[in-house]
């Protein structure tokens, strides 16, 4: 998979709400009602990540989930990251 240019990344980011390009990855933060809701959404995201064979760098503190995506094999951001980001958005919005 080919690494995106900065322009391609910015073009794709314009299609997502709340995601930014920071230090070679796209990232966002979600805040939920409480820990239980945050963990529930993380679990659903985890199953989707496994299905896509692409896994985020992420962290959770109480009701906040931070997600960072890049394609390690390509040493940057690729289409895989934006496909997963859109899937994550769909999961969060359906909650």
């Amino acid at each position: 998979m080919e690494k995106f240019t900065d322009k391609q990344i910015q073009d794709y980011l314009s299609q997502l709400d709340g995601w930014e390009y920071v230090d070679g990855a796209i990232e966002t933060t979600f805040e939920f009602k409480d820990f239980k809701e945050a963990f529930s959404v993380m679990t659903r995201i985890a199953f989707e990540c496994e299905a896509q064979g692409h896994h985020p760098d992420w962290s959770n503190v109480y009701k906040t989930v931070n997600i960072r995506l890049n394609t390690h094999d390509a040493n940057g951001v690729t289409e895989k990251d934006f496909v997963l980001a859109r899937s994550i958005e769909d999961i969060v919005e359906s909650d």
Side-chain angles (χ1 to χ4, degrees), residues 11 13 17-18 23 28 33-34 38 42-45 60-61 63 78 82 84 87 89 91 95:
D11 288 345
L13 280 175
D17 287 330
D23 296 328
T28 194
K33 181 179 72 176
D34 54 27
M42 286 180 75
T43 301
R44 293 197 337 258
I45 292 170
N60 164 244
V61 176
K63 63 181 182 175
T78 69
F82 284 99
L84 182 54
S87 296
E89 290 285 323
I91 290 167
D95 191 54

Side-chain angles (χ1 to χ4, degrees), residues 4 7-16 78-79 82-83 86:
F4 277 6
K7 172 146 179 30
Q8 287 173 302
I9 292 166
Q10 292 306 321
D11 288 345
Y12 275 74
L13 280 175
S14 69
Q15 301 168 29
L16 296 171
T78 69
E79 177 72 23
F82 284 99
V83 169
R86 281 187 215 101

Side-chain angles (χ1 to χ4, degrees), residues 25-64:
I26 58 172
E27 59 183 42
T28 194
T29 300
F30 296 105
E31 192 157 318
F32 299 94
K33 181 179 72 176
D34 54 27
F35 176 76
K36 183 178 176 181
E37 184 178 292
F39 196 81
S40 171
V41 172
M42 286 180 75
T43 301
R44 293 197 337 258
I45 292 170
F47 280 102
E48 181 61 28
C49 292
E50 193 63 20
Q52 291 187 27
H54 193 46
H55 305 91
D57 294 326
W58 61 357
S59 64
N60 164 244
V61 176
Y62 181 49
K63 63 181 182 175
T64 303

